[in-house]
Amino acid sequence: MKVGIIGATGYAGEELVRLLLQREDTEIVWYGSKSYVGQKYASIYQNLFRFVPDVCKEDDMEQLAEEADVVFTATPQGLCASLVNEDILSKTKIIDLSADFRIKDVSVYEQWYKIEHRSPQFLEEAVYGLPEINREKVKKARLIANPGCYPTCSFLSTYPAVKEGIIDGNTLIIDAKSGTSGAGRGAKVDNLFCEVNENMKAYGVASHRHTPEIEEQLSLAAGEKITISFTPHLVPMNRGILVTAYGSLKKDVSEKEIREIYNSYYKNEYFVRVLEEGMVPQTRFVEGSNFADVNIKLDKRTGRLIMMGAIDNLVKGAAGQAIQNMNLMFGLPENKGLTQLPMFP
Amino acid sequence: MKVGIIGATGYAGEELVRLLLQREDTEIVWYGSKSYVGQKYASIYQNLFRFVPDVCKEDDMEQLAEEADVVFTATPQGLCASLVNEDILSKTKIIDLSADFRIKDVSVYEQWYKIEHRSPQFLEEAVYGLPEINREKVKKARLIANPGCYPTCSFLSTYPAVKEGIIDGNTLIIDAKSGTSGAGRGAKVDNLFCEVNENMKAYGVASHRHTPEIEEQLSLAAGEKITISFTPHLVPMNRGILVTAYGSLKKDVSEKEIREIYNSYYKNEYFVRVLEEGMVPQTRFVEGSNFADVNIKLDKRTGRLIMMGAIDNLVKGAAGQAIQNMNLMFGLPENKGLTQLPMFP
Amino acid sequence: MKVGIIGATGYAGEELVRLLLQREDTEIVWYGSKSYVGQKYASIYQNLFRFVPDVCKEDDMEQLAEEADVVFTATPQGLCASLVNEDILSKTKIIDLSADFRIKDVSVYEQWYKIEHRSPQFLEEAVYGLPEINREKVKKARLIANPGCYPTCSFLSTYPAVKEGIIDGNTLIIDAKSGTSGAGRGAKVDNLFCEVNENMKAYGVASHRHTPEIEEQLSLAAGEKITISFTPHLVPMNRGILVTAYGSLKKDVSEKEIREIYNSYYKNEYFVRVLEEGMVPQTRFVEGSNFADVNIKLDKRTGRLIMMGAIDNLVKGAAGQAIQNMNLMFGLPENKGLTQLPMFP
Amino acid sequence: MKVGIIGATGYAGEELVRLLLQREDTEIVWYGSKSYVGQKYASIYQNLFRFVPDVCKEDDMEQLAEEADVVFTATPQGLCASLVNEDILSKTKIIDLSADFRIKDVSVYEQWYKIEHRSPQFLEEAVYGLPEINREKVKKARLIANPGCYPTCSFLSTYPAVKEGIIDGNTLIIDAKSGTSGAGRGAKVDNLFCEVNENMKAYGVASHRHTPEIEEQLSLAAGEKITISFTPHLVPMNRGILVTAYGSLKKDVSEKEIREIYNSYYKNEYFVRVLEEGMVPQTRFVEGSNFADVNIKLDKRTGRLIMMGAIDNLVKGAAGQAIQNMNLMFGLPENKGLTQLPMFP
């Protein structure tokens, strides 16, 4: 498979490169970058010294479509939607790691992202690439909207409880915590070491763009419109997302029964690990892997279910999930190239 | 003032030492320790090299009561309750940093802490040492129950909203995040650098002992029994607690009005800073100080109020608040010795 | 005293602000900034919320000289030299935290800093502001060259050994490690959290600009020209510099004797703590303070002396030392406003 | 291949497990532990949840020799030497990650390690398992002394310069910095998060046990006895060792020539990457991999060569190198199971 990457010099792009280089059935033919055109890729990411002789190229989707069997766009919102067209989709498959095709309702997209959607005609065709719920659609797709990092972790943590009507979806509060690689590699004062280290803060309170994405997917699961509270936080660590979600119980059901439901939902899912009673998801225990660890705790005292999940934001939350989608699209084993065990410490 | 400290070699104890050494009106006459009896204090806390010639002594409350005007007990649960008696209280004042006298209902205490209370007769007399609500009682107290770190931050963040009936107290969900010094200085594998660094996890889910303490104080504020969800998390940083709290609105009120209410509640409070619109509390901006930074965000879309707060767990969450109480008990300016500005970065 | 700060929005500038605000005898009349003119200072440094109502002003040294008794320039190299003149020095005192007046030989300065010196006529007058060696000169100075962070720590760690001829100065190898605040608050990819965290690297190998500054001062101490190796490293922590220095012994002397020499050199120095046998300087034990902790270890096996030192790069390595110099220049107690004990953890 | 691990619950042991589980030609038949006998391995290392159903077993070398083709001992000093005998070595191969068989001179071992060697009769047979110099011997060995983490990094960084007589080995000063996983998983106060975070310190100054190991190997390379200075430092990061070494030049040679010599020494070494001019080894760029990145800088001004190297202490410094040795011993490709690219960020 020949692979092109637009946005290869961001953290998600680099994780794609790192993971794909370790396979024998893929060849990266295009290291796209806006800021580093003409520079050696390995001079930017010295971890890949000796393994990537290539220099970075400009974004040229037309040319890429000729050369690559699949194109990953790990780029800012709006770019993929501005580049894609029928001709391109007839020549290559696209896995978009931006939010351009995640939200089906174009007005919701434009309201939260404050940009005009340039290719709304592909919204219906684009498949929301969460294999755990859309596996069959992914297999046949030409255009994948790769889910956001927070939505992936939030959804996998709460899906069975919402789908089964165990909790009232409209009581759902998702308090999420993310490592700093989620903020990208842009040179901003806010992301400097000294600003992040020894600090914890919320951001995007009541306004984060992943909110409507989570709501849309949970609404589909519940079969009714669900509105949630979602608050992300920045944590002084490189990788990892932790979700702690709270929902009011609608049914009289025991913790054991809920865990069994979770187990039955995910029993065939290689990448979702339902932990045992008393274990909590921890980001260190999924770091570097494509796993999502989830568990629940029933709090009888308050009548609430506490749902917890952990992923590596750059793997299951971005590059790993994109490759999982690629595997499905090309008829390969879903976990091919993604069997790395979490690295600890 | 002559001061004795039982539990001077824990992190909260050391912070007491550090803060008190920088005053001219206090003298530490007793460095109590269980593990380091006979060792030089400055060999354990080398930051105080040349400033503390003393060696650590055993716990001897009888003797201490003779020598000290005030005794701080920064010790595990149960110890203070086992040492205090009328004779001692007639000779000295006690500020207990453990949970022994925080919860008025002894059965609640024994249920959550799993130990028998050894001095329930002092529960009524003991004053819950949150000066922002109990200032006058603190001034006259002989025995102070110094609040927990999580309860201090949780309470100050939510108090005006609960007290004014802006939110329904029983919908309150408090998601709290703490630096690792909150876990103490015990040599446990779970608190090793490599286990905490690059990690985020919840702990004590639906069972943390600070829950009933928060509930009791909020119930007093609301004038009715309030049950909350409280989930603490461990963060890879030394100091700091961040609280993100969610409550359903009971009243039709604007964000601006709520902020004005917060401002009116705290306008005379030196240590509570109500931030301006758009600012979020961040632990780095209170580190090393006795400040509690709070702010709110009204989410009209969900009908919820998001309340946020940040403190330094070792200062306003422990030693600083204890000294604030001491100042009040001895008729001193409340912020004496506590005017350190937060250190950043 | 009325104080003006040019470069108040960098980390060293902010540390000056924080320390000066806690004194009662100083008033900051000018918050100078290049990037934030017109913005509220406390919106940039939220730790100082409610304590600084001022907005940032442009650099206007002429005006500042009228208003301030002392001006701190915490600015990039070259700026102070381009602003200072006889008229200004006749009206106010200047403490320059940049390197402009540290090196007496203008050709050495221009060679290492690659800029033309704009005021070489003041080089002779300017006093190298290390009070531990130049105290009397500082008292009478109009213009202080505040030492660099690495030179301060390197010099205090090695001075007695070099001065006494215990080691051969030309064998001196200084391996230094610094927290990231030393790299400043500029928005550079290299200083992003994810680039610094979980990493250790050398930089400026054999070319760091603090090298000639250290050499000049040690040469003065030795009474002969000394050439050293100096290698700085970037450490994933906010504050702190640790120096490990190696020198070949010239004399037959015991470790105990060398420590006694160190003690005799520093016995009247409030800010230099010579540790006891077996203790090593650690950055956590000086954090937030103006102390320099030093110790030595004699390695008979190799015939080398290992000299170690630790400081807080923003305090003794920048703002604290600048205030120490200010105190001396105004006839105040040298440690006024600088008696903060190190904060740990 | 059936593999047994004694000391599987330490950090190095767990890294062995993690790396071996990802191969298809190895089966771990014995998870040995002293502290966790009878406990599920995956309850201790939750990252391996669902992949390791086994419980921990006691150390039983006799039984292990029957069941395993190769035994790794990742245990404290002295244990392997006390367990090994001719009968066991006739049945299985042993790769010892402790120091027991690294130093050929038993008196040197006993002097630095302060324990009696229980099996000196195997010292001669044991092969120092640094494949880059002892590849052929490793292939035929029954007993491998797997090198220490510091010695591996120190040696690979300095070997060509010492061997070629470019520098005077007796002027060599090695200043090393290590992540905290190198301190092991023991529950010690010194390794708590709050004690390590925001700190940097030297330890084992002039007395660290890896010193004679480095000296022995460099002496073999130089063909004469070499005595060095070696100082390790603790860094607030999980993984990684960085070495900065200084040596006085003996020859008139250019930096370019020295780099060419390094390149010629390592040109066939998969795991040693000689960086290009101007690049510095950084621990983040080898993390999670078996690579050693090295580079040199010639400082003409001082007449010294600065040699730098970076490894992941748990991979090339422990488990990865042990597997590299295992591959050689069993006639497998040397990099089998070790082709992970460094993970960044």
Side-chain angles (χ1 to χ4, degrees):
Chain A
M1 262 177 299
K2 290 185 190 307
V3 176
I5 302 172
I6 300 185
T9 53
Y11 289 141
E14 190 270 339
E15 188 72 355
L16 274 169
V17 171
R18 190 178 72 87
L19 291 170
L20 291 171
L21 283 176
Q22 296 181 68
R23 306 171 60 129
E24 287 172 5
D25 60 346
T26 53
E27 181 194 355
I28 301 174
V29 297
W30 196 283
Y31 291 82
S33 174
K34 205 174 168 182
S35 316
Y36 298 97
V37 176
Q39 286 190 41
K40 275 190 187 176
Y41 190 80
S43 74
I44 304 158
Y45 286 107
Q46 192 174 313
N47 52 326
L48 303 179
F49 181 74
R50 225 173 62 187
F51 290 88
V52 184
D54 306 58
V55 297
C56 297
K57 298 183 196 173
E58 285 190 37
D59 306 333
D60 184 339
M61 184 64 104
E62 301 288 336
Q63 185 62 28
L64 246 174
E66 300 291 339
E67 297 186 21
D69 300 310
V70 58
V71 176
F72 294 93
T73 51
T75 48
Q77 323 308 333
L79 187 75
C80 183
S82 76
L83 294 176
V84 73
N85 59 45
E86 183 56 40
D87 182 52
I88 284 164
L89 282 176
S90 71
K91 292 177 185 160
T92 192
K93 294 175 192 296
I94 293 183
I95 298 173
D96 177 25
L97 281 77
S98 87
D100 285 0
F101 297 99
R102 293 178 192 158
I103 296 169
K104 294 297 177 194
D105 186 334
V106 68
S107 68
V108 171
Y109 173 88
E110 294 185 343
Q111 175 194 335
W112 287 78
Y113 284 90
K114 317 283 185 210
I115 48 175
E116 188 193 349
H117 202 294
R118 303 286 290 277
S119 302
Q121 70 274 23
F122 294 113
L123 277 171
E124 202 185 322
E125 177 183 350
V127 173
Y128 189 74
L130 198 58
E132 285 76 11
I133 51 163
N134 285 334
R135 182 164 289 118
E136 295 311 313
K137 287 183 190 161
V138 168
K139 288 181 183 174
K140 296 171 215 148
R142 299 191 302 177
L143 174 57
I144 293 286
N146 208 58
C149 50
Y150 285 124
T152 296
C153 193
S154 299
F155 186 84
L156 293 173
S157 304
T158 60
Y159 173 55
V162 169
K163 174 91 176 174
E164 292 294 312
I166 296 168
I167 59 163
D168 174 356
N170 285 299
T171 63
L172 200 57
I173 287 169
I174 299 177
D175 191 284
K177 298 91 179 167
S178 175
T180 307
S181 60
R185 201 167 179 253
K188 295 177 189 163
V189 168
D190 273 0
N191 298 333
L192 291 177
F193 183 83
C194 290
E195 308 284 319
V196 173
N197 188 39
E198 281 295 295
N199 191 35
M200 182 96 197
K201 68 169 178 182
Y203 66 99
V205 182
S207 63
H208 194 276
R209 294 161 166 192
H210 283 172
T211 312
E213 183 182 337
I214 302 169
E215 288 180 343
E216 185 171 294
Q217 293 303 318
L218 287 178
S219 297
L220 286 170
E224 60 169 348
K225 179 154 175 41
I226 283 179
T227 306
I228 63 160
S229 286
F230 171 72
T231 312
H233 297 77
L234 191 66
V235 185
M237 58 185 188
N238 285 350
R239 292 175 177 233
I241 283 182
L242 186 77
V243 154
T244 314
Y246 306 82
S248 296
L249 288 166
K250 282 205 305 195
K251 289 185 177 173
D252 185 17
V253 58
S254 72
E255 182 174 309
K256 191 154 170 277
E257 289 166 321
I258 302 172
R259 191 169 291 105
E260 275 166 16
I261 289 167
Y262 269 67
N263 271 317
S264 71
Y265 266 71
Y266 293 132
K267 67 173 181 288
N268 295 322
E269 296 299 338
Y270 183 84
F271 293 119
V272 184
R273 302 193 294 190
V274 182
L275 301 178
E276 292 170 6
E277 190 190 343
M279 295 167 86
V280 289
Q282 306 194 31
T283 63
R284 61 176 163 157
F285 289 138
V286 295
E287 190 165 338
S289 82
N290 202 48
F291 293 119
D293 282 4
V294 300
N295 206 352
I296 52 98
K297 175 79 185 174
L298 182 64
D299 186 5
K300 284 188 187 152
R301 225 177 54 88
T302 61
R304 292 197 188 99
L305 182 68
I306 299 156
M307 294 147 282
M308 298 169 279
I311 64 167
D312 183 320
N313 58 305
L314 291 180
V315 189
K316 185 63 177 170
Q321 185 143 274
I323 292 173
Q324 189 180 352
N325 282 313
M326 181 192 79
N327 287 339
L328 288 169
M329 293 164 92
F330 286 86
L332 301 169
E334 191 169 337
N335 66 0
K336 190 167 170 56
L338 296 171
T339 53
Q340 297 85 356
L341 293 174
M343 189 168 90
F344 170 75
Chain B
M1 261 177 301
K2 292 187 189 303
V3 176
I5 301 173
I6 300 186
T9 52
Y11 288 141
E14 189 271 339
E15 188 72 356
L16 275 169
V17 171
R18 190 178 73 88
L19 291 170
L20 292 171
L21 283 177
Q22 296 181 68
R23 307 171 61 129
E24 286 171 9
D25 61 346
T26 52
E27 182 195 354
I28 302 173
V29 297
W30 195 284
Y31 291 83
S33 174
K34 204 172 169 181
S35 316
Y36 299 97
V37 176
Q39 286 190 42
K40 275 190 183 173
Y41 190 79
S43 74
I44 304 159
Y45 286 106
Q46 192 175 312
N47 52 326
L48 303 178
F49 181 73
R50 226 174 59 187
F51 291 88
V52 184
D54 307 58
V55 297
C56 297
K57 298 182 195 174
E58 286 191 37
D59 307 333
D60 184 341
M61 185 64 103
E62 301 289 337
Q63 185 62 27
L64 246 173
E66 300 291 340
E67 298 186 20
D69 300 309
V70 58
V71 176
F72 294 92
T73 49
T75 46
Q77 323 308 334
L79 187 74
C80 183
S82 75
L83 295 176
V84 73
N85 60 44
E86 185 54 40
D87 182 52
I88 284 165
L89 282 176
S90 71
K91 293 178 184 160
T92 192
K93 295 176 192 293
I94 292 183
I95 300 175
D96 178 26
L97 281 78
S98 86
D100 285 0
F101 297 99
R102 293 178 192 159
I103 296 170
K104 294 296 175 195
D105 186 333
V106 69
S107 68
V108 171
Y109 173 88
E110 295 186 341
Q111 174 193 338
W112 288 78
Y113 283 89
K114 319 282 184 210
I115 48 175
E116 190 193 347
H117 201 295
R118 304 284 291 277
S119 302
Q121 71 274 25
F122 293 113
L123 277 171
E124 202 185 320
E125 176 184 351
V127 174
Y128 188 74
L130 197 58
E132 285 76 9
I133 52 163
N134 286 334
R135 181 165 290 118
E136 295 313 312
K137 288 184 192 160
V138 168
K139 290 181 183 174
K140 296 170 215 150
R142 299 191 299 175
L143 173 57
I144 293 286
N146 208 58
C149 50
Y150 285 124
T152 296
C153 194
S154 299
F155 186 84
L156 293 173
S157 305
T158 60
Y159 171 56
V162 168
K163 175 90 175 172
E164 291 294 312
I166 296 168
I167 58 163
D168 175 356
N170 285 300
T171 64
L172 201 56
I173 287 168
I174 298 177
D175 190 285
K177 298 91 179 166
S178 174
T180 306
S181 59
R185 201 167 179 252
K188 295 177 189 163
V189 168
D190 273 0
N191 298 333
L192 290 177
F193 183 84
C194 290
E195 309 285 318
V196 173
N197 188 38
E198 281 294 295
N199 192 34
M200 181 95 199
K201 66 169 179 183
Y203 65 98
V205 182
S207 63
H208 193 277
R209 294 161 167 193
H210 283 172
T211 311
E213 182 181 338
I214 302 169
E215 287 180 343
E216 185 171 293
Q217 293 302 319
L218 287 178
S219 296
L220 288 170
E224 59 169 346
K225 181 158 173 40
I226 283 180
T227 306
I228 63 160
S229 286
F230 171 71
T231 313
H233 298 76
L234 191 66
V235 185
M237 57 185 188
N238 284 351
R239 289 175 178 235
I241 283 182
L242 186 77
V243 154
T244 313
Y246 307 82
S248 296
L249 287 165
K250 280 204 306 196
K251 288 185 178 173
D252 185 18
V253 59
S254 72
E255 183 174 307
K256 191 155 168 281
E257 289 168 321
I258 302 172
R259 192 170 290 105
E260 275 166 17
I261 290 167
Y262 269 66
N263 271 317
S264 72
Y265 266 70
Y266 293 131
K267 68 173 180 289
N268 295 323
E269 295 300 338
Y270 182 84
F271 293 120
V272 184
R273 303 193 294 191
V274 181
L275 301 179
E276 293 171 5
E277 189 191 344
M279 294 167 87
V280 289
Q282 305 192 32
T283 61
R284 60 175 165 159
F285 289 139
V286 294
E287 189 164 339
S289 82
N290 202 47
F291 294 118
D293 282 4
V294 300
N295 206 351
I296 51 98
K297 174 81 185 173
L298 182 64
D299 186 5
K300 286 189 185 153
R301 225 176 55 87
T302 60
R304 292 199 186 97
L305 182 68
I306 300 155
M307 293 147 283
M308 297 169 280
I311 62 167
D312 182 320
N313 59 304
L314 291 180
V315 190
K316 185 63 176 166
Q321 186 144 270
I323 291 173
Q324 190 180 352
N325 282 314
M326 180 192 80
N327 286 339
L328 288 169
M329 294 164 92
F330 286 87
L332 301 169
E334 189 168 337
N335 67 0
K336 191 165 168 58
L338 296 172
T339 54
Q340 297 85 355
L341 293 173
M343 188 169 90
F344 169 75
Chain C
M1 261 177 301
K2 291 187 191 303
V3 176
I5 301 172
I6 300 186
T9 53
Y11 289 140
E14 190 271 338
E15 188 72 355
L16 274 169
V17 171
R18 190 178 74 86
L19 291 171
L20 291 172
L21 284 175
Q22 297 181 67
R23 305 171 62 130
E24 287 172 7
D25 60 347
T26 53
E27 181 194 354
I28 301 173
V29 298
W30 195 284
Y31 291 83
S33 174
K34 203 173 171 181
S35 316
Y36 299 97
V37 176
Q39 286 190 42
K40 275 189 185 174
Y41 190 80
S43 74
I44 303 158
Y45 286 107
Q46 192 175 311
N47 51 327
L48 303 178
F49 182 73
R50 226 173 60 188
F51 290 87
V52 184
D54 307 59
V55 298
C56 298
K57 297 183 196 174
E58 286 191 35
D59 306 333
D60 183 341
M61 184 64 102
E62 302 288 336
Q63 186 61 28
L64 246 173
E66 300 291 340
E67 298 187 21
D69 300 309
V70 58
V71 176
F72 294 93
T73 49
T75 47
Q77 322 308 334
L79 188 74
C80 183
S82 74
L83 296 175
V84 74
N85 59 46
E86 184 55 40
D87 182 52
I88 284 165
L89 281 177
S90 71
K91 293 178 183 160
T92 191
K93 294 175 193 294
I94 293 183
I95 299 174
D96 178 26
L97 282 78
S98 85
D100 284 1
F101 297 99
R102 291 178 194 159
I103 296 170
K104 294 297 174 195
D105 186 333
V106 68
S107 67
V108 171
Y109 173 87
E110 295 187 342
Q111 175 193 336
W112 287 79
Y113 284 90
K114 319 281 184 209
I115 48 175
E116 190 193 347
H117 202 294
R118 303 285 291 277
S119 303
Q121 70 275 24
F122 293 113
L123 277 171
E124 203 186 319
E125 176 182 350
V127 174
Y128 189 73
L130 197 58
E132 285 76 9
I133 50 163
N134 286 333
R135 182 165 289 117
E136 294 313 312
K137 289 184 190 160
V138 168
K139 288 181 184 173
K140 296 171 215 149
R142 299 191 301 175
L143 173 58
I144 293 286
N146 208 59
C149 49
Y150 285 124
T152 296
C153 194
S154 299
F155 186 84
L156 293 173
S157 305
T158 59
Y159 172 55
V162 169
K163 175 92 174 170
E164 292 294 312
I166 296 168
I167 58 164
D168 174 356
N170 285 299
T171 64
L172 201 56
I173 286 168
I174 299 179
D175 191 285
K177 299 91 179 167
S178 174
T180 306
S181 59
R185 201 169 178 250
K188 294 177 190 162
V189 168
D190 273 0
N191 297 333
L192 291 177
F193 183 83
C194 291
E195 308 284 320
V196 173
N197 188 39
E198 282 294 294
N199 191 35
M200 183 94 197
K201 66 169 177 182
Y203 66 99
V205 181
S207 63
H208 194 277
R209 295 161 166 192
H210 283 172
T211 312
E213 183 182 338
I214 301 169
E215 287 179 344
E216 185 170 295
Q217 294 303 319
L218 288 178
S219 297
L220 287 171
E224 59 169 345
K225 181 156 174 41
I226 283 180
T227 306
I228 63 161
S229 286
F230 171 70
T231 312
H233 297 77
L234 191 67
V235 185
M237 58 185 188
N238 284 350
R239 291 175 178 235
I241 283 182
L242 186 76
V243 154
T244 314
Y246 307 82
S248 296
L249 287 166
K250 281 203 305 195
K251 289 185 179 173
D252 185 18
V253 59
S254 73
E255 183 174 309
K256 191 154 170 280
E257 287 167 323
I258 303 172
R259 191 169 291 106
E260 273 166 17
I261 290 168
Y262 269 67
N263 272 316
S264 72
Y265 267 71
Y266 293 132
K267 67 172 181 289
N268 295 321
E269 295 300 337
Y270 182 85
F271 293 120
V272 183
R273 304 192 293 192
V274 181
L275 302 179
E276 292 169 5
E277 189 191 344
M279 296 168 86
V280 288
Q282 306 194 30
T283 63
R284 60 176 165 157
F285 289 138
V286 294
E287 190 165 337
S289 83
N290 202 48
F291 293 119
D293 282 5
V294 299
N295 206 350
I296 50 98
K297 174 80 185 173
L298 182 64
D299 186 5
K300 285 188 188 155
R301 225 176 53 90
T302 61
R304 294 200 185 96
L305 181 68
I306 300 156
M307 295 146 282
M308 297 170 280
I311 63 167
D312 182 322
N313 58 304
L314 292 180
V315 190
K316 185 62 177 169
Q321 185 143 272
I323 292 173
Q324 189 180 353
N325 282 314
M326 181 192 79
N327 287 338
L328 288 169
M329 293 164 92
F330 287 86
L332 301 168
E334 190 168 337
N335 67 0
K336 191 166 169 57
L338 295 171
T339 54
Q340 297 84 356
L341 293 173
M343 188 169 89
F344 169 75
Chain D
M1 261 178 299
K2 292 187 189 303
V3 176
I5 302 173
I6 300 186
T9 53
Y11 289 141
E14 190 271 338
E15 189 71 355
L16 274 170
V17 171
R18 191 178 73 87
L19 291 170
L20 292 171
L21 283 176
Q22 297 182 67
R23 307 171 61 131
E24 287 173 6
D25 60 346
T26 52
E27 182 194 354
I28 301 173
V29 297
W30 195 285
Y31 290 83
S33 174
K34 202 172 170 183
S35 315
Y36 298 98
V37 177
Q39 285 190 43
K40 275 190 184 175
Y41 190 80
S43 74
I44 303 159
Y45 285 107
Q46 192 175 309
N47 52 327
L48 302 179
F49 181 74
R50 224 175 61 189
F51 290 87
V52 184
D54 307 58
V55 298
C56 297
K57 298 183 196 172
E58 285 190 38
D59 306 333
D60 184 340
M61 185 63 103
E62 302 287 336
Q63 184 63 27
L64 246 173
E66 301 289 339
E67 296 187 20
D69 299 309
V70 57
V71 176
F72 294 93
T73 49
T75 48
Q77 321 310 333
L79 188 73
C80 183
S82 75
L83 295 176
V84 72
N85 59 45
E86 183 56 40
D87 181 52
I88 284 163
L89 282 176
S90 71
K91 291 178 184 160
T92 191
K93 293 173 193 296
I94 292 184
I95 299 174
D96 177 25
L97 281 79
S98 86
D100 284 0
F101 297 99
R102 293 179 192 158
I103 296 170
K104 294 297 174 194
D105 186 334
V106 68
S107 68
V108 171
Y109 173 88
E110 294 186 342
Q111 174 194 338
W112 287 79
Y113 284 90
K114 320 279 184 213
I115 47 175
E116 188 194 348
H117 201 296
R118 305 283 290 278
S119 302
Q121 71 274 23
F122 294 113
L123 277 170
E124 201 186 321
E125 175 183 351
V127 173
Y128 189 73
L130 198 58
E132 285 77 10
I133 49 162
N134 286 334
R135 182 164 290 118
E136 294 313 312
K137 287 184 192 160
V138 168
K139 288 182 183 174
K140 296 172 215 147
R142 298 192 300 176
L143 173 58
I144 293 286
N146 209 57
C149 49
Y150 285 124
T152 295
C153 194
S154 299
F155 186 85
L156 293 173
S157 305
T158 59
Y159 172 56
V162 169
K163 173 92 176 173
E164 292 293 313
I166 297 168
I167 58 164
D168 174 355
N170 285 300
T171 65
L172 201 56
I173 286 169
I174 299 177
D175 190 285
K177 299 90 178 168
S178 175
T180 307
S181 60
R185 201 168 179 250
K188 295 177 190 162
V189 168
D190 272 0
N191 297 332
L192 290 177
F193 182 83
C194 290
E195 309 284 319
V196 173
N197 189 37
E198 283 294 294
N199 191 34
M200 182 94 198
K201 67 169 177 182
Y203 66 98
V205 182
S207 62
H208 194 277
R209 295 161 167 193
H210 282 172
T211 311
E213 182 182 338
I214 302 170
E215 288 180 343
E216 184 170 296
Q217 293 302 319
L218 286 178
S219 296
L220 288 171
E224 59 169 346
K225 179 154 174 43
I226 283 179
T227 306
I228 62 161
S229 286
F230 171 71
T231 313
H233 297 77
L234 191 66
V235 185
M237 58 185 188
N238 286 349
R239 290 176 179 234
I241 283 182
L242 186 76
V243 154
T244 314
Y246 307 82
S248 297
L249 287 166
K250 283 203 303 194
K251 288 185 180 174
D252 185 18
V253 59
S254 72
E255 182 175 309
K256 192 156 168 280
E257 288 167 322
I258 302 173
R259 192 170 291 105
E260 273 165 19
I261 290 167
Y262 270 67
N263 272 316
S264 72
Y265 267 72
Y266 293 132
K267 67 174 181 290
N268 295 321
E269 295 299 338
Y270 183 85
F271 293 120
V272 184
R273 302 193 295 191
V274 181
L275 301 179
E276 293 170 4
E277 189 191 342
M279 296 166 86
V280 288
Q282 306 193 30
T283 62
R284 60 175 165 157
F285 289 138
V286 294
E287 189 165 339
S289 82
N290 202 48
F291 293 118
D293 282 5
V294 300
N295 207 351
I296 52 98
K297 174 81 184 173
L298 181 65
D299 186 5
K300 285 187 187 155
R301 226 177 54 89
T302 60
R304 292 198 188 97
L305 181 68
I306 300 156
M307 294 146 281
M308 298 170 278
I311 62 166
D312 183 322
N313 59 305
L314 292 180
V315 189
K316 185 62 177 167
Q321 185 143 274
I323 292 173
Q324 188 180 353
N325 282 314
M326 180 192 81
N327 286 338
L328 288 169
M329 294 164 93
F330 286 87
L332 301 169
E334 189 168 336
N335 67 359
K336 191 166 171 52
L338 295 171
T339 54
Q340 296 85 356
L341 294 173
M343 190 168 89
F344 169 74

